[in-house]
Amino acid sequence: MENQPADFSTAVLVIGAGPSGLAAAACLAAKLIPVLILERDDAVAPLWRRRTYARLRLQQHKRYCELPLFGLPPSAPTFLPCSDFIRYLDDYAAALGLEQLLRLRRRVDSAEFDPPSARWRIDAAYLETGAVEKYDARFLVVATGEDDEPLLPIGISGLDRFSGETVHSNQFRTGEIYQGLDVLVVGSGNSGMEIAYDLAECGARASLVVRRELHLVTREMLAFAMGMAKYLPVSLVDLMVLLWCYIWFGNTSKYGLHRPSKGPIYLRHNAPIIYPVVDSGAFTKIKSGDIEVLPAISTIEDNNVITFENGKRRRFDAIIFATGYRSTVKNWLKGDDYLIGEDGLSSRGFPPHLKGKNGLYCVGLSKRGLHGVAEDVVCIADDIGSVFHRKEKQT
Ligand SMILES: Cc1cc2nc3c(=O)[nH]c(=O)nc-3n(C[C@H](O)[C@H](O)[C@H](O)COP(=O)(O)OP(=O)(O)OC[C@H]3O[C@@H](n4cnc5c(N)ncnc54)[C@H](O)[C@@H]3O)c2cc1C
Ligand SMILES: *[C@@H]1O[C@H](CO)[C@@H](O)[C@H](O)[C@H]1NC(C)=O
């Protein structure tokens, strides 16, 4: 298999056409480096197109969502609605000529470095026909995202007895269809909070399972903190944000939302599972009792009655699992035990989080969301460019 000639050969292969992959390809193409993008879906940025809800706005200030070479229009709102972000990514691909580099409906099933030829060998299924296509490239840029596969909680006792609807948050579009129903949202990250709020706005009776400590902040606080963290020590920024939180929200503990002992920006940098959670309006509904906060589920009984760890019992019509996603890089990337850890994310920490061995790079896998993508793709393109153009000069 290794010795079969490739169907397509290029200098750089980028896997994934989300914001990270598009921006990486744009920066490489601008340096006149031959690049192809393989994307499983049939359009760019499918996560934003098909797995988000109507209410979604980007959490961070627009300046942290902008990609290199083609910026957002100055008229763009500070916190972009999802539809504006999708339009921006479409315009980005069109303006920078990325469509001709894109090969859609290609699912990468294996990528492995071949030492004798010093090239990456990639097998991709062309999903239109099921045919396996073989690619080879000198450099491989992994941009398949942290949020590829929806995660469902395991081991909820009695879940098989629940006869109402159970869906993962990636299928949730709007709370309108739940009007008048009792809906349980499991998971108190950004999606869970926002979905609970949307349900309450749409006239559903929403409950929210909060199993962990979290820092509730506003978009403005996050923008402020991200700006300040460039100039001031994190401990000071955290102090300012926590003070602002206290003035804005009061003590959230009495509503079942307990803050971790470490500050939000410290945790964002050091324990990135605990993102600060951006309040999209849910907190007002929690205070007014329109959203009930509940601890972990103990068991699901007959007739869709659920018991919680504090002994409360409630009946629900539907459960929405806002329990996150995982990276799937480890399913197909072979032979790398350096750059990408067992969880499919960059294991190199920040900042040396981009570059592996043998011309392997990754972008968008260091738990920073869109923040940092622009900077990272410029570094990657510079690094690849320095090797690529040096080689060219020699030959
Ligand atoms: C509901 C929701 C809201 C979010 N909101 C924000 C936000 O406000 N701010 C923020 O910073 N982040 C947010 N995120 C995180 C978001 O995933 C990333 O910030 C952003 O999409 C990262 O872009 P990316 O290009 O790295 O990954 P993605 O957008 O996930 O793109 C990866 C691409 O790779 C493709 N792919 C995966 N595996 C393969 C394969 N084997 N072969 C071929 N193609 C493959 C996928 O189809 C996908 O198109 C949100 C995530 C979700 C789910
Ligand atoms: C918030 O309230 C809880 C009890 O409800 C208390 O233990 C905690 O010290 C309070 N925090 C602050 C900052 O006042």
Side-chain angles (χ1 to χ4, degrees):
M1 179 197 104
E2 294 303 328
N3 297 323
Q4 263 180 39
D7 305 316
F8 305 94
S9 205
T10 180
V12 191
L13 205 59
V14 175
I15 320 286
S20 300
L22 292 175
C27 291
L28 289 159
K31 290 184 179 290
L32 306 177
I33 302 168
V35 52
L36 285 180
I37 316 168
L38 302 185
E39 166 57 53
R40 186 181 53 210
D41 221 293
D42 62 3
V44 302
L47 178 143
W48 295 94
R49 251 174 244 284
R50 309 199 214 288
R51 290 161 56 187
T52 50
Y53 34 91
R55 189 178 289 283
L56 186 78
R57 273 172 180 267
L58 297 195
Q59 283 152 27
Q60 58 276 76
H61 193 287
K62 61 179 175 182
R63 84 170 79 94
Y64 299 109
C65 311
E66 221 165 21
L67 304 177
L69 304 173
F70 180 84
L72 280 160
S75 59
T78 309
F79 297 101
L80 284 181
C82 186
S83 53
D84 286 17
F85 190 55
I86 295 170
R87 194 169 323 121
Y88 169 60
L89 294 172
D90 282 337
D91 292 347
Y92 189 86
L96 299 172
L98 301 180
E99 281 134 343
Q100 43 189 321
L101 312 176
L102 252 175
R103 301 184 65 86
L104 297 170
R105 302 275 287 150
R106 266 65 176 200
R107 186 192 63 215
V108 170
D109 290 328
S110 119
E112 189 164 17
F113 187 70
D114 174 50
S117 62
R119 294 182 71 84
W120 286 89
R121 309 236 180 248
I122 293 96
D123 285 357
Y126 180 40
L127 300 175
E128 291 296 324
T129 62
V132 177
E133 297 177 342
K134 296 196 171 291
Y135 292 79
D136 94 7
R138 170 71 191 85
F139 302 95
L140 184 69
V141 179
V142 177
T144 47
E146 295 169 351
D147 300 329
D148 198 41
E149 186 176 87
L151 273 179
L152 287 168
I154 35 169
I156 291 187
S157 119
L159 185 55
D160 50 331
R161 253 183 298 193
F162 191 78
S163 62
E165 182 190 54
T166 56
V167 293
H168 187 271
S169 59
N170 77 331
Q171 287 162 283
F172 180 88
R173 298 290 168 270
T174 162
E176 281 161 16
I177 56 171
Y178 298 97
Q179 195 187 359
L181 300 182
D182 291 280
V183 186
L184 181 65
V185 180
V186 177
S188 56
N190 286 300
S191 295
M193 282 280 179
E194 200 157 21
I195 288 171
Y197 172 69
D198 195 45
L199 288 165
E201 277 286 289
C202 292
R205 284 176 299 277
S207 303
L208 180 68
V209 169
V210 179
R211 284 170 301 184
R212 60 174 176 88
E213 298 178 319
L214 59 92
H215 278 298
L216 197 65
V217 300
T218 63
R219 285 190 173 81
E220 291 74 18
M221 291 176 193
L222 190 62
F224 165 82
M226 283 164 70
M228 283 300 164
K230 282 193 203 137
Y231 309 106
L232 298 176
V234 165
S235 54
L236 186 59
V237 178
D238 270 340
L239 204 63
M240 292 192 283
V241 173
L242 285 174
L243 188 66
W244 192 355
C245 283
Y246 196 76
I247 295 167
W248 187 262
F249 297 111
N251 186 342
T252 57
S253 280
K254 57 173 179 272
Y255 303 105
L257 306 178
H258 304 282
R259 288 187 185 273
S261 55
K262 296 270 196 276
I265 304 304
Y266 174 88
L267 290 173
R268 190 182 163 90
H269 291 173
N270 294 287
I273 315 291
I274 312 179
Y275 276 137
V277 177
V278 171
D279 177 39
S280 44
F283 188 61
T284 312
K285 300 256 180 222
I286 289 172
K287 277 203 297 198
S288 66
D290 291 323
I291 298 174
E292 182 182 26
V293 172
L294 292 162
I297 294 174
S298 308
T299 181
I300 300 180
E301 300 165 15
D302 289 334
N303 303 320
N304 296 348
V305 172
I306 302 184
T307 319
F308 296 87
E309 280 184 350
N310 60 359
K312 283 192 178 163
R313 296 174 80 234
R314 299 274 183 277
R315 201 201 61 83
F316 290 97
D317 299 300
I319 307 177
I320 298 169
F321 289 106
T323 37
Y325 296 87
R326 74 180 189 94
S327 155
T328 51
V329 179
K330 281 291 175 193
N331 299 352
W332 54 267
L333 180 66
K334 313 258 156 67
D336 163 71
D337 55 3
Y338 175 78
L339 183 62
I340 308 223
E342 275 314 308
D343 56 2
L345 304 180
S346 173
S347 62
R348 309 305 310 159
F350 178 78
H353 56 299
L354 304 172
K355 189 176 178 181
K357 294 175 177 162
N358 303 320
L360 178 68
Y361 296 81
C362 70
V363 54
L365 296 179
S366 50
K367 281 274 176 193
R368 297 195 302 154
L370 295 167
H371 182 49
V373 166
E375 227 171 284
D376 289 356
V377 291
V378 169
C379 287
I380 291 175
D382 283 347
D383 206 69
I384 292 180
S386 68
V387 180
F388 179 79
H389 291 303
R390 194 180 334 126
K391 275 245 170 76
E392 256 194 346
K393 261 182 220 140
Q394 284 166 0
T395 51

